[in-house]
Amino acid sequence: MPTAPPPANAPADLRGDCANCFALCCVALPFAKSADFAADKPGGTPCGNLRPDHTCGIHAALRREGFSGCTVFDCFGAGQKVSQITFAGRSWRGSPDVARPMFDVFPVMRQLHELLWYLTEAVELPAARPLLPDLRRALSEIERLTLLGPGELARLDVAAHRAPVGELLARTSELARAEVGGKRKNRRGADLMGAKLRGADLRGASLRGAYLVGADLRGADLRLADVLGADFRDADVSGADLTGAVFLTQPQVAAARGDARTRLPVRVGRPAHWAR
Protein backbone atom coordinates (compact mmCIF):
# COMPACT_ATOMS: atom_id res chain seq x y z
CA MET A 1 0.00 0.00 0.00
CA PRO A 2 1.28 3.54 -0.67
CA THR A 3 3.06 5.43 2.08
CA ALA A 4 0.79 8.42 1.57
CA PRO A 5 -2.68 8.50 0.01
CA PRO A 6 -3.32 10.64 -3.04
CA PRO A 7 -4.79 14.04 -2.14
CA ALA A 8 -8.51 14.66 -1.89
CA ASN A 9 -8.72 15.98 -5.45
CA ALA A 10 -7.83 12.57 -6.87
CA PRO A 11 -11.10 10.75 -7.67
CA ALA A 12 -12.29 8.99 -4.51
CA ASP A 13 -13.12 5.72 -6.28
CA LEU A 14 -9.62 5.64 -7.77
CA ARG A 15 -7.83 5.95 -4.44
CA GLY A 16 -7.03 2.84 -2.44
CA ASP A 17 -9.37 2.56 0.55
CA CYS A 18 -7.81 -0.13 2.73
CA ALA A 19 -10.57 0.16 5.34
CA ASN A 20 -13.06 -1.18 2.77
CA CYS A 21 -10.80 -3.81 1.25
CA PHE A 22 -10.00 -7.32 2.48
CA ALA A 23 -6.24 -6.78 2.09
CA LEU A 24 -6.31 -8.21 -1.41
CA CYS A 25 -2.91 -6.81 -2.35
CA CYS A 26 -1.44 -8.63 0.68
CA VAL A 27 -2.97 -11.96 -0.30
CA ALA A 28 -3.80 -12.26 -3.99
CA LEU A 29 -0.50 -11.05 -5.42
CA PRO A 30 2.81 -12.95 -5.31
CA PHE A 31 6.20 -11.45 -4.52
CA ALA A 32 9.75 -12.78 -4.51
CA LYS A 33 12.51 -12.15 -2.00
CA SER A 34 14.48 -9.23 -3.33
CA ALA A 35 15.53 -5.66 -2.56
CA ASP A 36 11.81 -4.84 -2.50
CA PHE A 37 10.56 -7.75 -0.40
CA ALA A 38 12.20 -9.47 2.55
CA ALA A 39 10.58 -12.84 1.85
CA ASP A 40 8.93 -14.96 -0.84
CA LYS A 41 5.14 -15.16 -0.99
CA PRO A 42 3.09 -17.08 -3.55
CA GLY A 43 -0.11 -15.61 -4.93
CA GLY A 44 -3.21 -16.49 -2.96
CA THR A 45 -1.29 -16.84 0.31
CA PRO A 46 -1.59 -14.18 3.02
CA CYS A 47 1.56 -12.20 3.76
CA GLY A 48 3.15 -13.22 7.06
CA ASN A 49 2.69 -9.67 8.33
CA LEU A 50 -1.07 -9.64 7.72
CA ARG A 51 -3.27 -9.49 10.82
CA PRO A 52 -6.68 -11.22 11.16
CA ASP A 53 -8.42 -7.84 10.81
CA HIS A 54 -6.84 -7.32 7.35
CA THR A 55 -4.32 -4.73 8.59
CA CYS A 56 -0.53 -4.88 8.25
CA GLY A 57 1.41 -5.64 11.41
CA ILE A 58 4.44 -3.66 10.26
CA HIS A 59 2.79 -0.93 8.20
CA ALA A 60 4.65 1.87 9.96
CA ALA A 61 7.99 0.11 9.42
CA LEU A 62 7.59 -1.50 5.99
CA ARG A 63 10.65 0.11 4.45
CA ARG A 64 12.79 -0.55 7.52
CA GLU A 65 11.69 -4.21 7.56
CA GLY A 66 12.60 -4.74 3.91
CA PHE A 67 9.17 -4.40 2.33
CA SER A 68 9.65 -1.19 0.35
CA GLY A 69 7.78 -2.83 -2.53
CA CYS A 70 4.59 -2.58 -0.52
CA THR A 71 5.04 1.17 -0.10
CA VAL A 72 5.04 1.82 -3.84
CA PHE A 73 2.00 -0.29 -4.68
CA ASP A 74 -1.37 1.29 -5.38
CA CYS A 75 -4.49 -0.55 -6.51
CA PHE A 76 -6.19 2.58 -7.93
CA GLY A 77 -9.26 1.69 -5.87
CA ALA A 78 -9.59 -1.83 -7.28
CA GLY A 79 -9.38 -3.44 -3.84
CA GLN A 80 -12.52 -1.90 -2.43
CA LYS A 81 -14.38 -2.36 -5.73
CA VAL A 82 -13.71 -6.10 -5.70
CA SER A 83 -14.37 -6.42 -1.97
CA GLN A 84 -17.52 -4.34 -1.67
CA ILE A 85 -19.12 -4.44 -5.12
CA THR A 86 -17.96 -7.48 -7.11
CA PHE A 87 -18.26 -9.74 -4.07
CA ALA A 88 -20.81 -7.65 -2.15
CA GLY A 89 -18.81 -7.46 1.07
CA ARG A 90 -18.03 -11.18 1.32
CA SER A 91 -14.53 -11.71 2.68
CA TRP A 92 -12.16 -14.46 1.60
CA ARG A 93 -11.66 -15.17 5.31
CA GLY A 94 -15.33 -15.51 6.17
CA SER A 95 -16.34 -17.16 2.89
CA PRO A 96 -13.52 -19.44 1.72
CA ASP A 97 -15.49 -20.36 -1.41
CA VAL A 98 -14.97 -16.84 -2.80
CA ALA A 99 -11.23 -16.74 -2.09
CA ARG A 100 -9.95 -18.08 -5.41
CA PRO A 101 -12.45 -16.17 -7.59
CA MET A 102 -11.69 -12.99 -5.63
CA PHE A 103 -7.93 -13.42 -6.05
CA ASP A 104 -8.38 -14.07 -9.79
CA VAL A 105 -10.50 -10.96 -10.27
CA PHE A 106 -8.34 -8.53 -8.31
CA PRO A 107 -5.45 -8.19 -10.86
CA VAL A 108 -7.97 -7.72 -13.66
CA MET A 109 -9.82 -5.03 -11.74
CA ARG A 110 -6.59 -3.23 -10.95
CA GLN A 111 -5.74 -3.00 -14.65
CA LEU A 112 -9.20 -1.62 -15.40
CA HIS A 113 -8.94 0.93 -12.61
CA GLU A 114 -5.55 2.05 -13.85
CA LEU A 115 -7.16 2.73 -17.23
CA LEU A 116 -9.87 4.68 -15.42
CA TRP A 117 -7.15 6.77 -13.74
CA TYR A 118 -5.67 7.74 -17.10
CA LEU A 119 -9.01 8.34 -18.80
CA THR A 120 -10.30 10.45 -15.92
CA GLU A 121 -7.22 12.64 -16.17
CA ALA A 122 -7.55 12.86 -19.96
CA VAL A 123 -11.17 14.00 -19.73
CA GLU A 124 -10.10 16.85 -17.45
CA LEU A 125 -7.32 18.13 -19.71
CA PRO A 126 -8.44 21.35 -21.47
CA ALA A 127 -6.25 20.58 -24.47
CA ALA A 128 -8.06 17.27 -25.00
CA ARG A 129 -11.41 18.94 -25.70
CA PRO A 130 -11.48 17.76 -29.37
CA LEU A 131 -11.31 14.17 -28.11
CA LEU A 132 -13.81 14.60 -25.29
CA PRO A 133 -16.65 12.53 -26.85
CA ASP A 134 -14.28 9.63 -27.54
CA LEU A 135 -12.70 9.86 -24.11
CA ARG A 136 -16.06 9.87 -22.37
CA ARG A 137 -17.21 6.85 -24.36
CA ALA A 138 -14.03 4.97 -23.45
CA LEU A 139 -14.41 5.98 -19.80
CA SER A 140 -18.00 4.77 -19.74
CA GLU A 141 -17.06 1.45 -21.35
CA ILE A 142 -14.24 0.72 -18.88
CA GLU A 143 -16.52 1.66 -15.98
CA ARG A 144 -19.10 -0.79 -17.36
CA LEU A 145 -16.51 -3.55 -17.45
CA THR A 146 -15.60 -3.01 -13.79
CA LEU A 147 -19.20 -3.88 -12.88
CA LEU A 148 -19.19 -7.29 -14.56
CA GLY A 149 -19.68 -10.39 -12.45
CA PRO A 150 -16.71 -12.36 -11.07
CA GLY A 151 -16.75 -14.98 -13.82
CA GLU A 152 -16.86 -12.44 -16.64
CA LEU A 153 -14.13 -10.34 -15.07
CA ALA A 154 -11.83 -13.32 -14.60
CA ARG A 155 -12.21 -14.21 -18.31
CA LEU A 156 -11.88 -10.64 -19.57
CA ASP A 157 -9.22 -9.94 -22.20
CA VAL A 158 -7.94 -6.69 -20.73
CA ALA A 159 -5.32 -6.27 -23.45
CA ALA A 160 -8.06 -6.06 -26.08
CA HIS A 161 -9.56 -3.11 -24.24
CA ARG A 162 -6.23 -1.53 -23.29
CA ALA A 163 -5.08 -1.20 -26.90
CA PRO A 164 -7.75 1.27 -28.14
CA VAL A 165 -7.56 3.19 -24.86
CA GLY A 166 -3.80 3.44 -25.30
CA GLU A 167 -4.22 4.92 -28.78
CA LEU A 168 -6.70 7.45 -27.44
CA LEU A 169 -4.37 8.42 -24.61
CA ALA A 170 -1.52 8.86 -27.09
CA ARG A 171 -3.63 11.32 -29.08
CA THR A 172 -4.53 13.09 -25.85
CA SER A 173 -0.86 13.34 -24.97
CA GLU A 174 -0.02 14.94 -28.32
CA LEU A 175 -2.64 17.63 -27.79
CA ALA A 176 -1.57 18.32 -24.21
CA ARG A 177 2.15 18.48 -24.97
CA ALA A 178 1.61 20.70 -28.01
CA GLU A 179 0.93 23.53 -25.57
CA VAL A 180 4.66 23.67 -24.83
CA GLY A 181 5.44 24.69 -28.40
CA GLY A 182 8.65 24.15 -30.34
CA LYS A 183 10.43 20.86 -30.83
CA ARG A 184 9.74 18.41 -28.03
CA LYS A 185 12.08 15.58 -27.05
CA ASN A 186 10.94 12.07 -27.93
CA ARG A 187 12.48 9.61 -25.47
CA ARG A 188 9.67 7.10 -25.61
CA GLY A 189 10.89 3.72 -24.33
CA ALA A 190 14.43 5.09 -24.00
CA ASP A 191 16.99 3.48 -21.71
CA LEU A 192 17.79 6.35 -19.36
CA MET A 193 18.84 4.22 -16.42
CA GLY A 194 21.24 6.25 -14.28
CA ALA A 195 21.13 9.12 -16.79
CA LYS A 196 22.49 12.45 -15.65
CA LEU A 197 19.55 14.75 -16.34
CA ARG A 198 20.00 17.24 -13.55
CA GLY A 199 18.30 20.50 -14.51
CA ALA A 200 17.26 19.08 -17.89
CA ASP A 201 14.53 20.81 -19.89
CA LEU A 202 12.07 17.98 -20.52
CA ARG A 203 8.97 20.12 -20.94
CA GLY A 204 6.47 18.39 -23.20
CA ALA A 205 8.82 15.47 -23.78
CA SER A 206 7.56 11.97 -24.45
CA LEU A 207 9.01 9.75 -21.73
CA ARG A 208 6.31 7.15 -22.20
CA GLY A 209 7.67 3.76 -21.12
CA ALA A 210 11.17 5.19 -20.57
CA TYR A 211 13.54 3.49 -18.13
CA LEU A 212 14.51 6.19 -15.64
CA VAL A 213 15.74 3.84 -12.93
CA GLY A 214 18.28 5.65 -10.78
CA ALA A 215 18.30 8.69 -13.08
CA ASP A 216 19.42 12.05 -11.69
CA LEU A 217 16.46 14.33 -12.38
CA ARG A 218 17.21 16.85 -9.65
CA GLY A 219 15.81 20.22 -10.63
CA ALA A 220 14.63 18.90 -14.01
CA ASP A 221 11.63 20.49 -15.71
CA LEU A 222 9.08 17.80 -16.59
CA ARG A 223 6.06 20.02 -16.97
CA LEU A 224 3.58 18.47 -19.41
CA ALA A 225 5.93 15.56 -20.08
CA ASP A 226 4.14 12.31 -20.94
CA VAL A 227 5.34 9.79 -18.34
CA LEU A 228 2.80 7.01 -18.89
CA GLY A 229 4.49 3.76 -17.91
CA ALA A 230 7.87 5.39 -17.24
CA ASP A 231 9.96 3.56 -14.63
CA PHE A 232 10.99 6.04 -11.92
CA ARG A 233 12.42 3.51 -9.47
CA ASP A 234 15.07 5.21 -7.34
CA ALA A 235 15.15 8.22 -9.71
CA ASP A 236 16.08 11.40 -7.85
CA VAL A 237 13.41 14.03 -8.54
CA SER A 238 14.43 16.35 -5.71
CA GLY A 239 13.52 19.89 -6.69
CA ALA A 240 12.10 18.71 -10.02
CA ASP A 241 8.95 20.23 -11.49
CA LEU A 242 6.40 17.57 -12.42
CA THR A 243 3.53 20.05 -12.52
CA GLY A 244 1.07 18.88 -15.12
CA ALA A 245 3.13 15.79 -16.00
CA VAL A 246 0.76 13.76 -18.15
CA PHE A 247 -0.44 10.40 -16.79
CA LEU A 248 1.77 10.40 -13.70
CA THR A 249 0.63 7.90 -11.06
CA GLN A 250 1.09 7.49 -7.32
CA PRO A 251 3.22 4.31 -7.68
CA GLN A 252 5.65 6.14 -9.98
CA VAL A 253 6.08 8.97 -7.48
CA ALA A 254 6.41 6.59 -4.54
CA ALA A 255 9.13 4.65 -6.36
CA ALA A 256 11.21 7.80 -6.89
CA ARG A 257 13.23 9.86 -4.41
CA GLY A 258 12.08 13.43 -3.92
CA ASP A 259 11.94 16.18 -1.36
CA ALA A 260 9.83 19.11 -0.17
CA ARG A 261 10.89 21.14 -3.22
CA THR A 262 9.58 18.60 -5.75
CA ARG A 263 6.50 20.01 -7.45
CA LEU A 264 3.74 17.49 -8.18
CA PRO A 265 0.41 17.46 -10.02
CA VAL A 266 -2.62 18.02 -7.79
CA ARG A 267 -3.86 14.46 -8.33
CA VAL A 268 -0.75 12.87 -6.78
CA GLY A 269 0.27 12.82 -3.12
CA ARG A 270 3.73 13.44 -1.69
CA PRO A 271 5.17 10.16 -0.30
CA ALA A 272 5.84 10.12 3.42
CA HIS A 273 9.29 8.59 2.93
CA TRP A 274 10.57 11.48 0.81
CA ALA A 275 13.18 13.81 2.29
CA ARG A 276 11.71 16.83 4.06
Side-chain angles (χ1 to χ4, degrees), residues 190-207:
D191 183 353
L192 298 172
M193 296 177 65
K196 300 185 184 303
L197 297 168
R198 185 171 185 174
D201 182 0
L202 295 169
R203 287 176 297 171
S206 175
L207 294 169

Side-chain angles (χ1 to χ4, degrees), residues 1-267:
M1 59 187 73
T3 56
N9 41 18
D13 58 344
L14 299 181
R15 302 199 307 266
D17 181 3
C18 298
N20 285 300
C21 175
F22 300 129
L24 295 183
C25 62
C26 306
V27 185
L29 305 179
F31 54 72
K33 188 174 182 178
S34 61
D36 295 321
F37 297 100
D40 293 318
K41 188 193 82 64
T45 301
C47 173
N49 299 309
L50 187 64
R51 293 169 171 165
D53 64 353
H54 303 298
T55 62
C56 175
I58 61 168
H59 183 253
L62 281 167
R63 298 182 75 82
R64 187 169 67 247
E65 295 293 331
F67 288 87
S68 61
C70 298
T71 70
V72 302
F73 179 81
D74 192 288
C75 72
F76 298 99
Q80 66 261 28
K81 175 71 76 63
V82 172
S83 299
Q84 302 301 329
I85 296 180
T86 311
F87 288 90
R90 297 179 68 197
S91 166
W92 55 270
R93 285 193 190 275
S95 304
D97 58 305
V98 307
R100 177 45 55 191
M102 183 175 280
F103 301 157
D104 289 342
V105 164
F106 176 62
V108 175
M109 187 69 80
R110 185 187 183 276
Q111 292 183 70
L112 294 175
H113 268 240
E114 184 176 3
L115 292 178
L116 289 180
W117 174 275
Y118 296 136
L119 286 167
T120 300
E121 177 181 345
V123 165
E124 296 172 353
L125 289 172
R129 188 175 298 277
L131 298 176
L132 200 53
D134 292 336
L135 288 168
R136 284 178 171 163
R137 276 193 293 271
L139 183 61
S140 178
E141 173 60 11
I142 300 300
E143 287 178 334
R144 183 190 69 80
L145 294 175
T146 68
L147 298 176
L148 293 174
E152 292 175 288
L153 280 167
R155 296 189 297 270
L156 189 67
D157 183 357
V158 180
H161 296 279
R162 183 183 290 274
V165 170
E167 294 175 5
L168 190 54
L169 294 178
R171 292 165 60 195
T172 300
S173 170
E174 287 293 331
L175 291 173
R177 294 184 297 113
E179 294 185 349
V180 174
K183 187 175 181 180
R184 302 181 302 280
K185 295 181 176 66
N186 183 4
R187 306 308 303 272
R188 179 170 183 168
D191 183 353
L192 298 172
M193 296 177 65
K196 300 185 184 303
L197 297 168
R198 185 171 185 174
D201 182 0
L202 295 169
R203 287 176 297 171
S206 175
L207 294 169
R208 180 174 290 217
Y211 296 93
L212 292 160
V213 181
D216 182 358
L217 288 162
R218 287 175 293 172
D221 190 345
L222 291 100
R223 286 176 292 172
L224 286 176
D226 182 348
V227 297
L228 193 152
D231 191 340
F232 279 91
R233 282 178 296 166
D234 207 33
D236 193 343
V237 294
S238 300
D241 191 348
L242 287 139
T243 305
V246 184
F247 306 133
L248 182 70
T249 66
Q250 193 69 40
Q252 287 174 302
V253 171
R257 292 180 290 122
D259 61 14
R261 298 171 298 126
T262 306
R263 300 182 64 185
L264 296 169
V266 295
R267 300 175 90 234

